Short mmCIF file of all heavy atoms in Angstrom, two decimals:
data_model
loop_
_atom_site.label_atom_id
_atom_site.label_comp_id
_atom_site.label_asym_id
_atom_site.label_seq_id
_atom_site.Cartn_x
_atom_site.Cartn_y
_atom_site.Cartn_z
N ARG A 7 -50.90 -53.01 242.76
CA ARG A 7 -50.70 -51.65 242.24
C ARG A 7 -51.97 -51.15 241.56
O ARG A 7 -52.27 -49.95 241.53
CB ARG A 7 -49.56 -51.71 241.21
CG ARG A 7 -48.92 -50.40 240.94
CD ARG A 7 -47.70 -50.56 240.05
NE ARG A 7 -46.53 -51.12 240.66
CZ ARG A 7 -45.85 -52.16 240.27
NH1 ARG A 7 -46.25 -52.79 239.12
NH2 ARG A 7 -44.85 -52.64 240.95
N CYS A 58 -54.92 -48.86 203.37
CA CYS A 58 -53.46 -49.05 203.53
C CYS A 58 -53.03 -48.39 204.84
O CYS A 58 -53.39 -47.23 205.04
CB CYS A 58 -52.68 -48.37 202.42
SG CYS A 58 -53.36 -48.69 200.74
N GLY A 64 -53.26 -48.95 210.54
CA GLY A 64 -53.73 -49.94 209.59
C GLY A 64 -54.89 -50.77 210.16
O GLY A 64 -55.73 -51.25 209.41
N ASP A 68 -58.81 -53.34 209.17
CA ASP A 68 -59.33 -54.58 209.71
C ASP A 68 -60.73 -54.35 210.31
O ASP A 68 -61.58 -55.21 210.24
CB ASP A 68 -58.39 -55.16 210.76
CG ASP A 68 -57.02 -55.43 210.21
OD1 ASP A 68 -56.85 -56.43 209.56
OD2 ASP A 68 -56.09 -54.61 210.42
N ARG A 77 -71.32 -57.61 204.16
CA ARG A 77 -72.57 -56.95 203.72
C ARG A 77 -72.41 -56.16 202.46
O ARG A 77 -73.32 -55.41 202.02
CB ARG A 77 -73.06 -56.01 204.87
CG ARG A 77 -73.51 -56.75 206.11
CD ARG A 77 -74.14 -55.79 207.05
NE ARG A 77 -73.26 -55.09 207.92
CZ ARG A 77 -73.49 -53.93 208.55
NH1 ARG A 77 -74.70 -53.38 208.41
NH2 ARG A 77 -72.60 -53.40 209.36
N ASP A 97 -61.34 -47.88 189.64
CA ASP A 97 -62.60 -48.17 190.32
C ASP A 97 -62.31 -48.66 191.76
O ASP A 97 -63.18 -49.29 192.37
CB ASP A 97 -63.41 -49.19 189.49
CG ASP A 97 -62.60 -50.41 189.14
OD1 ASP A 97 -61.51 -50.66 189.73
OD2 ASP A 97 -63.08 -51.22 188.31
N GLU A 111 -43.91 -47.18 204.60
CA GLU A 111 -44.72 -48.12 203.78
C GLU A 111 -46.04 -47.49 203.33
O GLU A 111 -46.42 -47.63 202.20
CB GLU A 111 -45.10 -49.38 204.66
CG GLU A 111 -43.92 -50.17 205.24
CD GLU A 111 -43.58 -49.72 206.67
OE1 GLU A 111 -43.55 -48.52 206.97
OE2 GLU A 111 -43.32 -50.63 207.48
N ALA A 148 -58.23 -34.68 208.28
CA ALA A 148 -57.21 -34.35 209.31
C ALA A 148 -57.76 -34.73 210.66
O ALA A 148 -58.77 -34.18 211.13
CB ALA A 148 -56.94 -32.89 209.23
N PRO A 167 -62.85 -43.32 208.23
CA PRO A 167 -63.18 -44.04 206.96
C PRO A 167 -64.65 -44.49 206.92
O PRO A 167 -65.27 -44.51 205.82
CB PRO A 167 -62.30 -45.25 207.04
CG PRO A 167 -61.14 -44.94 207.91
CD PRO A 167 -61.74 -43.99 208.92
N SER A 193 -71.01 -45.65 228.35
CA SER A 193 -71.51 -46.34 229.60
C SER A 193 -70.56 -47.42 230.06
O SER A 193 -70.45 -47.65 231.28
CB SER A 193 -72.86 -47.07 229.32
OG SER A 193 -73.67 -46.24 228.60
N VAL A 202 -62.38 -48.46 239.94
CA VAL A 202 -63.19 -49.64 240.17
C VAL A 202 -62.31 -50.78 240.55
O VAL A 202 -61.40 -51.19 239.69
CB VAL A 202 -64.09 -49.97 238.95
CG1 VAL A 202 -64.95 -51.18 239.24
CG2 VAL A 202 -64.83 -48.80 238.55
N ALA A 234 -59.70 -59.21 217.95
CA ALA A 234 -58.66 -60.19 218.37
C ALA A 234 -57.31 -59.65 217.99
O ALA A 234 -56.37 -59.74 218.83
CB ALA A 234 -58.89 -61.57 217.72
N GLU A 243 -48.03 -53.60 222.84
CA GLU A 243 -47.57 -52.17 222.97
C GLU A 243 -47.87 -51.57 224.30
O GLU A 243 -47.09 -50.76 224.85
CB GLU A 243 -48.19 -51.33 221.83
CG GLU A 243 -47.65 -51.76 220.49
CD GLU A 243 -48.14 -50.86 219.30
OE1 GLU A 243 -47.95 -49.64 219.41
OE2 GLU A 243 -48.71 -51.44 218.36
N ALA A 245 -48.73 -53.44 227.26
CA ALA A 245 -48.22 -54.23 228.36
C ALA A 245 -46.75 -54.67 228.14
O ALA A 245 -46.14 -55.16 229.08
CB ALA A 245 -49.08 -55.48 228.59
N ASN A 260 -55.74 -76.33 212.78
CA ASN A 260 -54.27 -76.37 212.85
C ASN A 260 -53.78 -76.18 214.33
O ASN A 260 -53.20 -77.06 214.90
CB ASN A 260 -53.65 -75.33 211.95
CG ASN A 260 -54.50 -74.11 211.83
OD1 ASN A 260 -54.77 -73.40 212.73
ND2 ASN A 260 -55.00 -73.86 210.58
N HIS A 280 -69.54 -63.05 221.43
CA HIS A 280 -70.58 -62.09 221.27
C HIS A 280 -71.85 -62.73 220.75
O HIS A 280 -71.81 -63.83 220.20
CB HIS A 280 -70.08 -60.92 220.39
CG HIS A 280 -69.76 -61.34 219.02
ND1 HIS A 280 -70.65 -61.42 217.98
CD2 HIS A 280 -68.55 -61.70 218.45
CE1 HIS A 280 -70.07 -61.80 216.90
NE2 HIS A 280 -68.78 -62.01 217.14
N PRO A 285 -73.68 -69.55 214.99
CA PRO A 285 -74.19 -70.46 216.01
C PRO A 285 -73.25 -71.64 216.34
O PRO A 285 -73.37 -72.22 217.44
CB PRO A 285 -75.53 -70.94 215.47
CG PRO A 285 -75.72 -70.37 214.14
CD PRO A 285 -74.63 -69.32 213.90
N ARG A 286 -72.41 -72.03 215.45
CA ARG A 286 -71.49 -73.17 215.71
C ARG A 286 -70.31 -72.81 216.55
O ARG A 286 -69.54 -73.66 217.05
CB ARG A 286 -71.01 -73.78 214.40
CG ARG A 286 -72.08 -74.46 213.57
CD ARG A 286 -72.57 -75.74 214.21
NE ARG A 286 -71.54 -76.78 214.08
CZ ARG A 286 -71.46 -77.84 214.83
NH1 ARG A 286 -72.34 -78.08 215.79
NH2 ARG A 286 -70.53 -78.76 214.66
N PRO A 313 -76.75 -56.54 220.66
CA PRO A 313 -76.85 -57.22 219.36
C PRO A 313 -76.21 -56.42 218.22
O PRO A 313 -76.00 -56.96 217.13
CB PRO A 313 -78.32 -57.40 219.19
CG PRO A 313 -78.93 -56.20 219.88
CD PRO A 313 -77.94 -55.77 220.95
N ASP A 314 -75.99 -55.09 218.42
CA ASP A 314 -75.49 -54.26 217.28
C ASP A 314 -74.04 -54.58 216.91
O ASP A 314 -73.16 -54.53 217.80
CB ASP A 314 -75.54 -52.77 217.64
CG ASP A 314 -76.99 -52.28 217.72
OD1 ASP A 314 -77.88 -53.10 217.50
OD2 ASP A 314 -77.12 -51.10 217.95
N PHE A 320 -66.65 -52.54 218.97
CA PHE A 320 -65.91 -51.53 219.75
C PHE A 320 -65.91 -51.89 221.20
O PHE A 320 -64.94 -51.52 221.95
CB PHE A 320 -66.41 -50.14 219.42
CG PHE A 320 -65.95 -49.64 218.05
CD1 PHE A 320 -66.82 -49.53 216.98
CD2 PHE A 320 -64.58 -49.34 217.83
CE1 PHE A 320 -66.36 -49.14 215.71
CE2 PHE A 320 -64.16 -48.94 216.59
CZ PHE A 320 -65.05 -48.83 215.52
N ILE A 323 -63.13 -54.19 221.70
CA ILE A 323 -61.85 -53.45 221.59
C ILE A 323 -61.57 -52.64 222.89
O ILE A 323 -60.46 -52.67 223.44
CB ILE A 323 -61.88 -52.51 220.37
CG1 ILE A 323 -61.64 -53.38 219.12
CG2 ILE A 323 -60.81 -51.40 220.46
CD1 ILE A 323 -61.62 -52.62 217.81
N MET A 324 -62.59 -51.97 223.41
CA MET A 324 -62.42 -51.17 224.61
C MET A 324 -61.93 -52.09 225.81
O MET A 324 -61.05 -51.72 226.54
CB MET A 324 -63.66 -50.43 224.97
CG MET A 324 -63.50 -49.66 226.33
SD MET A 324 -64.93 -48.66 226.74
CE MET A 324 -64.58 -47.08 226.05
N PRO A 345 -40.67 -47.50 223.03
CA PRO A 345 -39.31 -47.15 222.65
C PRO A 345 -38.63 -48.04 221.69
O PRO A 345 -37.84 -47.63 220.85
CB PRO A 345 -38.58 -47.15 224.05
CG PRO A 345 -39.45 -47.92 224.99
CD PRO A 345 -40.81 -47.77 224.47
#
Side-chain angles (χ1 to χ4, degrees):
R7 201 175 284 128
C58 314
D68 300 281
R77 295 189 275 159
D97 53 12
E111 300 94 317
S193 315
V202 182
E243 295 185 54
N260 32 64
H280 61 86
R286 291 289 288 159
D314 288 1
F320 285 108
I323 284 180
M324 176 178 269

